[in-house]
Amino acid sequence: MTSPLGQSVRRLEDPGILRGKAQFLDDVPVDHPLHLAVVRTTVAHARFKVVDTEGARQAPGVAEVVTAADLGPHNGPFPHPTWFPPQAGLRATIDPMVRPELLWVLAAGRVRYAGEPVAAVVADDPYLAGDGAELVELDYEPLATVSGVDDALAPDAELLNPDWGDNLSAHFTVRKGDVEAAFARAAVVVRGTFEMGRQTGAPLEPRGALAVPGSGPDGDRLTLWSSTQAPHWLRPALATFTGLDTERIRVIAPHVGGGFGTKSMVYPEELLVALLALRLGRPVKWVESRIEHFVGAIHSRDQRHEVELALDAEGRILGLRDHYLVDVGASNVEGLVVPYNTTGHLQGAYRVPALELDCRCAVTNKTPLSAYRGAGRPEAVFAMERILDRAAGELGMDPVELRRRNLVGPDEMPYDTGIPYRDGSRLVIDAGDVPASLELAVREGGYEDWRRRQAELRRAGRYLGIGVGTYVEGTGIGPGELAEVRIEPDGGVLVAVALPSQGQGHATTLAQICAGVLTVPLDKVRLVQGDTGVVGEGGGTIASRTAVVVGNAVGDAAGKLAGELLRAAAELLEANPDDLELRAGRVQVRGAPRQSLALAEVATLVGDGDGLAATGRFTPPAVTFASGTHLAVVEVDPWLGQVTVLRYLVVHDCGVLVNPTIVEAQVAGGVAQGIGGALLEELVYDEEGQLLTGSFMEYLVPRSTGLPDIEVLHLETPSERNPLGIKGVGEAGTIGPPAAIAGAVEDALAPFGARVDRCPLTPHVVAGLVPDDALPADA
């Protein structure tokens, strides 16, 4: 039997999804639930009070109306469940200032962003709940709005948190080498200011939660279904806010229709349905509307970088400075996760002997900011690749050649970048060949041919541009994960893990790992995931970590179970364990296949009645680095501002490929989102803190008809940091497009002397790069 590991087998989860049999949050059956509607502030910054709830209480079908005062001590504040304090290694090396974040279920006395929950109505159906919510009366005393980082950091700024004394949420500086000396001896110094606009994940399925109360001999119990990426983070948060013991709470993530980091947070609405279900003794359900999602779910990106790059006359990097600002909105709910991810990935795979990175995070009157697919990495790559393109122009050098001269080669791996990673360990790129990915992208992407065509098209009045960008990505971050693999009496194999899927294909890839070890048919493997009642500890499906951490835990469990099967079968077959092997779902004597037992027979004879099981664990020693190169070819209409992506090619190295087709789909999906970030998507606020792009009429996302064919090529440099040699892939596709497409647009508009300093490059932005009466510089 050929091992399924490394094969492009069809996804096991797809038939149920395609036939409508997959159970998402809104499909979970429950008798007579109450429905929750959230009253959200329409003012971005104000002191407020709830004037009247009586009209809502008397409305048809309403069962309860609650405010912060009604929830009492259950309202908080408590330490934010998804705020991560800097780890010891990071504190010791850079000593960051990070203000801890608190979480309230409902705002009390003060609101800090339009869309913040201030009250809730529970009714017999969602429409009656919504009608009741409109009857809750609020009185506002408006405060000055802090509309952006410059306002936030001004000396006379209105303070979002008066006890802080300023609006600085976090500040840190990372240094290595002698930066002053590097710039003093540089032949060329280039400078640029680069911005990436505010975006959100906008998954197909918005957020939702369903809380079902219960009771037992030891008191109240609670089961909560949530469209979450991290049920094992949500569970202790529910315990803190409800007062129930953690053991009495079960959190289940059913099928989840996309997450992209947006659903990795613990949100007030999840806590609210739990509190009200326990109070009312009835199931309470909340399903977010799309409009709510735009104002209530976390945002991301929104960084501005002031970059300086020092180079010698041959184009080799001597030093780099980057002072950057992050607009974290009203709350920096994950601490340094996004801001420091940018720091950790800014150098990429380039040799940077001297470095100074300074980051300041400011709170503003916008929806809180946190991780969205890529989580600080697209911003880092955008800033670095843009300044490299500027340097190439200054030196009169081809941008690909400049990168060749500065990329770390495979003979230099593992490569110590000289700074700490976010987890406090040394940031050492373990394995990879980024120069090879660049050369493959240039060759297979037809770089030289496009250059020749570019000159021809310019003579005809058409503007074509080529952009490239390289990157590395730390993947597979801890903590460790557990997995259980069980041979069931009927011959099926059950794999149980903590982390839920949001469409990544866990049921297939983890089954491939398990089936490859146990030599069973793939369709015999069944995955149970995202249920704290099955696996009691775990992290979240975030940070490109599932294949690395959970995959190796499954491999460990399957390997241990294989050992148990061989030992047990040795007794049953009266053979030496060393003379046995697993083949085609049986234990057999080598060279004597008739002397064999089916795995189910062994499990039934020696197991506990439910089969035979083993538990595995994997804790990564450090992150493992995926890497790659993106190449984009675009044509630009300078006066209409239209950008057409003619070709998009990715060369990606995620180590050993478990399922090439799934990897390609992950990369392509990420590229689609990255193209959206490069050309379309931006959350725009006005001076009063009102979101102007709060629906899909204004916040544009790519459609399949507007995307190019996304070509994905693979390199396989096995990771040195896990037994399977896997590196993560979930976020890679989003990292390169803003940089590659911005470079291509600037290249296309080079005859006009245009500079591309920010994304997204919407039509009005692109048209604004070229004056209406402008002629090409070479005209």
Side-chain angles (χ1 to χ4, degrees):
M1 173 182 169
T2 302
S3 171
L5 191 64
Q7 303 298 313
S8 288
V9 299
R10 291 187 177 183
R11 297 193 347 155
L12 300 178
E13 46 273 271
D14 286 350
I17 295 171
L18 294 171
R19 292 168 183 160
K21 294 182 178 180
Q23 189 179 79
F24 293 82
L25 186 281
D26 206 23
D27 302 319
V28 175
V30 62
D31 291 333
H32 309 299
L34 294 167
H35 294 264
L36 179 80
V38 178
V39 181
R40 300 179 186 275
T41 173
T42 57
V43 178
H45 198 197
R47 296 184 183 91
F48 83 99
K49 59 183 177 180
V50 180
V51 176
D52 182 50
T53 61
E54 196 58 32
R57 293 180 190 278
Q58 299 302 319
V62 169
E64 181 66 287
V65 180
V66 293
T67 65
D70 296 315
L71 296 179
H74 290 295
N75 192 60
F78 294 102
H80 201 292
T82 39
W83 183 85
F84 302 103
Q87 297 192 27
L90 202 59
R91 290 199 304 270
T93 51
I94 70 168
D95 189 26
M97 185 285 284
V98 194
R99 287 193 163 109
E101 292 287 349
L102 302 176
L103 178 63
W104 290 260
V105 178
L106 297 171
R110 188 181 184 117
V111 290
R112 294 172 175 82
Y113 66 95
E116 186 171 4
V118 295
V121 175
V122 179
D124 291 333
D125 69 46
Y127 307 104
L128 293 175
D131 291 344
E134 293 183 1
L135 299 175
V136 174
E137 296 183 21
L138 307 173
D139 182 57
Y140 295 104
E141 179 187 334
L143 298 169
T145 302
V146 180
S147 59
V149 288
D150 294 323
D151 288 344
L153 298 176
D156 58 348
E158 182 77 34
L159 300 182
L160 271 69
N161 303 290
D163 56 314
W164 286 9
D166 58 33
N167 286 319
L168 200 61
S169 172
H171 180 215
F172 60 86
T173 304
V174 177
R175 295 185 178 91
K176 72 169 183 178
D178 190 335
V179 176
E180 295 300 326
F183 277 82
R185 70 175 186 274
V188 173
V189 174
V190 289
R191 298 175 174 86
T193 299
F194 307 111
E195 297 181 64
M196 187 167 286
R198 198 173 190 88
Q199 298 169 26
T200 189
L204 185 63
E205 178 199 31
R207 298 178 294 137
L210 168 64
V212 179
S215 61
D218 53 355
D220 289 339
R221 290 186 171 275
L222 178 73
T223 300
L224 185 128
W225 282 265
S226 174
S227 58
T228 179
Q229 295 174 230
H232 292 77
W233 292 346
L234 179 53
R235 187 188 189 201
L238 290 166
T240 298
F241 278 81
T242 64
L244 286 182
D245 292 339
T246 306
E247 293 72 22
R248 299 183 188 178
I249 299 172
R250 181 182 182 185
V251 179
I252 304 169
H255 277 82
V256 178
F260 313 123
T262 304
K263 296 178 183 175
S264 62
M265 308 298 107
V266 172
Y267 286 97
E269 295 91 347
E270 294 167 306
L271 307 174
L272 194 56
V273 295
L275 287 166
L276 291 172
L278 291 168
R279 173 180 288 191
L280 299 172
R282 287 183 61 184
V284 177
K285 181 178 184 178
W286 170 74
V287 177
E288 180 182 56
S289 71
R290 182 60 65 182
I291 291 175
E292 281 185 293
H293 186 81
F294 274 107
V295 297
I298 60 100
H299 297 169
S300 201
R301 311 297 190 236
D302 210 347
Q303 295 187 8
R304 186 172 77 214
H305 293 250
E306 302 279 349
V307 187
E308 298 176 280
L309 187 67
L311 307 99
D312 67 16
E314 286 72 43
R316 291 180 176 84
I317 296 170
L318 301 175
L320 174 68
R321 289 194 189 103
D322 182 8
H323 291 198
Y324 65 99
L325 301 173
V326 185
D327 185 336
V328 299
S331 180
N332 182 19
V333 296
E334 281 193 312
L336 294 184
V337 169
V338 170
Y340 198 85
N341 266 359
T342 297
T343 285
H345 291 83
L346 191 79
Q347 297 176 83
Y350 299 110
R351 299 182 203 90
V352 182
L355 180 74
E356 179 184 283
L357 304 179
D358 184 85
C359 173
R360 289 184 293 165
C361 303
V363 289
T364 64
N365 294 124
K366 299 175 184 175
T367 297
L369 179 140
S370 193
Y372 159 48
R373 197 174 191 178
R377 301 175 183 90
E379 301 94 298
V381 171
F382 182 74
M384 187 65 180
E385 298 296 320
R386 290 278 64 230
I387 201 68
L388 285 171
D389 283 341
R390 294 287 163 82
E394 188 74 16
L395 289 161
M397 185 182 296
D398 185 275
V400 169
E401 179 58 31
L402 180 65
R403 288 165 171 81
R404 286 179 178 132
R405 296 186 184 191
N406 289 286
L407 283 170
V408 175
D411 57 328
E412 298 172 81
M413 296 293 180
Y415 182 77
D416 190 337
T417 65
I419 66 172
Y421 194 67
R422 176 165 56 86
D423 60 6
S425 63
R426 293 286 290 181
L427 201 167
V428 179
I429 302 173
D430 54 323
D433 192 345
V434 183
S437 77
L438 176 64
E439 297 306 327
L440 184 57
V442 167
R443 183 176 71 250
E444 295 301 318
Y447 184 80
E448 297 300 334
D449 289 339
W450 284 113
R451 283 288 176 216
R452 285 189 288 272
R453 289 187 62 189
Q454 181 182 53
E456 296 169 3
L457 289 170
R458 280 180 181 172
R459 288 192 289 272
R462 293 172 62 186
Y463 299 95
L464 181 142
I466 309 106
V468 295
T470 75
Y471 63 93
V472 297
E473 181 199 0
T475 69
I477 198 168
E481 295 288 344
L482 292 173
E484 181 180 273
V485 177
R486 177 180 294 274
I487 302 288
E488 298 182 299
D490 64 358
V493 179
L494 177 68
V495 177
V497 301
L499 303 194
S501 173
Q502 300 87 48
Q504 297 93 331
H506 293 180
T508 305
T509 53
L510 298 180
Q512 286 179 262
I513 292 169
C514 178
V517 175
L518 297 178
T519 73
V520 298
L522 200 60
D523 60 7
K524 290 285 189 180
V525 183
R526 178 171 62 94
L527 179 69
V528 177
Q529 58 182 332
D531 186 341
T532 64
V534 176
V535 178
E537 62 178 272
T541 306
I542 60 166
S544 304
R545 66 187 298 268
T546 301
V548 177
V549 188
V550 180
N552 277 278
V554 170
D556 183 48
K560 288 177 178 176
L561 181 55
E564 290 291 326
L565 288 163
L566 291 172
R567 283 188 289 272
E571 293 187 21
L572 296 170
L573 293 170
E574 298 181 348
N576 188 317
D578 294 338
D579 293 332
L580 300 181
E581 64 180 351
L582 297 184
R583 185 181 292 271
R586 301 181 71 85
V587 184
Q588 69 179 45
V589 177
R590 296 179 193 275
R594 292 184 181 180
Q595 291 181 261
S596 67
L597 291 169
L599 300 189
E601 293 179 79
V602 180
T604 301
L605 291 169
V606 302
D608 57 8
D610 292 325
L612 189 63
T615 299
R617 178 187 286 273
F618 179 71
T619 300
V623 294
T624 182
F625 282 85
S627 61
T629 298
H630 289 218
L631 181 144
V633 181
V634 306
E635 184 172 359
V636 182
D637 184 318
W639 294 278
L640 293 180
Q642 182 176 341
V643 177
T644 303
V645 182
L646 303 178
R647 188 167 188 188
Y648 203 98
L649 182 141
V650 181
V651 178
H652 185 64
D653 182 352
C654 62
V656 173
L657 296 167
V658 177
N659 185 312
T661 296
I662 286 180
V663 169
E664 289 161 14
Q666 285 275 20
V667 173
V671 168
Q673 288 182 297
I675 290 174
L679 297 176
L680 298 171
E681 300 179 41
E682 185 168 16
L683 295 160
V684 179
Y685 281 82
D686 68 13
E687 292 298 315
E688 301 303 317
Q690 297 298 315
L691 181 61
L692 302 179
T693 54
S695 78
F696 285 138
M697 293 181 68
E698 307 90 14
Y699 186 89
L700 303 181
V701 296
R703 297 182 179 185
S704 60
T705 54
L707 290 170
D709 289 336
I710 298 165
E711 304 165 67
V712 183
L713 304 177
H714 304 291
L715 293 179
E716 286 190 79
T717 310
S719 171
E720 301 289 336
R721 292 179 177 161
N722 62 78
L724 294 175
I726 298 171
K727 304 171 186 176
V729 72
E731 297 168 279
T734 59
I735 295 173
I741 290 174
V745 171
E746 184 171 281
D747 183 51
L749 299 180
F752 301 93
R755 293 290 183 96
V756 174
D757 295 325
R758 80 180 307 272
C759 279
L761 289 162
T762 53
H764 78 278
V765 171
V766 175
L769 296 173
V770 179
D772 291 340
D773 58 351
L775 292 174
D778 56 357

